Amino acid sequence: MHIISIQDFNTPELAIYAGLSETQLLHYYEPETGIFIAESPTVIIRALQAGYEPISVLLETKHLTQDFLSYFKTINIPVYTANAELLTKLTGFQLVRGALCAMRRKPLPSVSEICEHATRIAVLENIVNPTNIGAIFRSASAMFIDAVLVTPNCANPLYRRSIRVSMGTVFQIPWTILENYNYQVLKNLNFKTVALALDNQAISIEDKNLMTEKKLALILGSEGDGLTPETIASADYIAKIPMKQGIDSLNVAAASAVAFWQLKTHGRS
């Protein structure tokens, strides 16, 4: 690695940290996979451990420690560094814990590849808030969910805010895109689909039949409109979280944590 002291943020190599939008990062190497930005030493290390390839690192000088740099000792990449005062001029850097790393995305696996041996998966339909995506991934990782699928209109799990909120768990739980909203592929893999929705036909997530299903795909909908009528109509189950009278719903991230815990595979704790 090459440690480079920063004097000028107009250096073209630093544009990926401050000058490019998430969409531009996503398409950076098109037609190949794009790049993303990981924040904080802990999250960066989790990405490295998951096999993501770093392009460069931007560090506050105090993070030039032997411990952290040891993760890059066999990688020939630039490590840009400056003191905290200078780095605050870089948009957003004051929001992170002293470290940014640009990394290449990896090709996404197929749905069947990540779901073949899974018993509990989460499907996120049209959830557009990166904060909610990150929080759901963090709950999924903690609450025994084996994989996550996102529909094409969801915020990407490797957007910077999603990664930050997830605390890097987006690198620890398998995920991919469910193209064309093809829920039939899950049924073909012997999953029972569960639409989490406020519906007159909904059963409680505590329902015994639901809890004893061997393979469940829990489908969560967008922040405003929830699941589409088509998704609800095609689901094997419609379920809701029992709540105190007068309260009809939770934020989708909070609801996901409750549902994941309740419907985890029997025997997990």
Side-chain angles (χ1 to χ4, degrees):
M1 60 186 169
H2 308 289
I3 298 176
I4 303 167
S5 180
I6 297 171
Q7 304 300 326
D8 182 9
F9 276 132
N10 292 319
T11 303
E13 292 81 1
L14 295 179
I16 54 178
Y17 293 105
L20 299 183
S21 69
E22 293 285 14
T23 300
Q24 289 172 313
L25 293 172
L26 181 61
H27 298 286
Y28 193 79
Y29 286 122
E30 209 163 55
E32 296 180 30
T33 54
I35 65 178
F36 64 89
I37 306 297
E39 302 181 3
S40 87
T42 298
V43 170
I44 292 168
I45 290 167
R46 286 180 176 173
L48 291 170
Q49 290 171 335
Y52 287 90
E53 177 189 348
I55 299 168
S56 64
V57 184
L58 179 60
L59 291 176
E60 188 178 341
T61 304
K62 71 178 183 180
H63 285 293
L64 283 172
T65 64
Q66 193 62 37
D67 245 11
F68 183 56
L69 293 181
S70 68
Y71 288 92
F72 300 92
K73 63 184 178 183
T74 62
I75 307 171
N76 186 24
I77 61 169
V79 177
Y80 301 102
T81 182
N83 61 38
E85 183 179 357
L86 183 58
L87 289 180
T88 56
K89 297 178 182 178
L90 183 63
T91 302
F93 197 85
Q94 67 272 19
L95 302 177
V96 302
R97 295 179 182 177
L100 296 173
C101 184
M103 294 183 151
R104 285 182 178 266
R105 289 171 176 263
K106 296 192 292 187
L108 291 174
S110 67
V111 171
S112 58
E113 185 180 345
I114 67 171
C115 293
E116 183 179 4
H117 301 294
T119 59
R120 294 291 185 269
I121 65 172
V123 184
L124 313 186
E125 182 180 278
N126 302 338
I127 297 175
V128 298
N129 186 319
T131 297
N132 282 335
I133 292 287
I136 292 170
F137 265 84
R138 191 170 182 181
S139 293
S141 182
M143 304 295 179
F144 308 102
I145 296 297
D146 301 308
V148 177
L149 307 179
V150 297
T151 62
N153 287 332
C154 277
N156 194 280
L158 295 187
Y159 282 171
R160 189 185 299 192
R161 186 176 296 176
S162 298
I163 296 171
R164 181 197 312 144
V165 174
S166 81
M167 287 298 295
T169 55
V170 292
F171 307 125
Q172 297 176 324
I173 185 168
W175 69 273
T176 195
I177 296 173
L178 183 67
E179 300 289 356
N180 302 316
Y181 299 82
N182 184 11
Y183 295 112
Q184 184 58 45
V185 69
L186 302 179
K187 297 186 179 187
N188 294 344
L189 292 168
N190 299 316
F191 282 91
K192 296 292 185 181
T193 56
V194 185
L196 294 171
L198 298 174
D199 186 276
N200 292 334
Q201 305 301 314
I203 60 175
S204 168
I205 60 169
E206 298 173 311
D207 184 274
K208 289 183 179 179
N209 292 327
L210 189 59
M211 291 176 61
T212 55
E213 288 283 2
K214 290 183 179 180
K215 301 180 76 171
L216 287 178
L218 312 178
I219 311 174
L220 296 119
S222 67
E223 296 87 344
D225 299 327
L227 296 173
T228 64
E230 294 79 11
T231 297
I232 294 172
S234 67
D236 296 303
Y237 293 97
I238 307 169
K240 63 183 179 181
I241 298 170
M243 281 182 271
K244 181 180 178 180
Q245 188 174 3
I247 307 297
D248 63 356
S249 65
L250 296 172
N251 166 273
V252 65
S256 73
V258 174
F260 294 162
W261 172 255
Q262 181 63 36
L263 296 174
K264 67 185 184 296
T265 302
H266 182 70
R268 288 184 175 181
S269 61

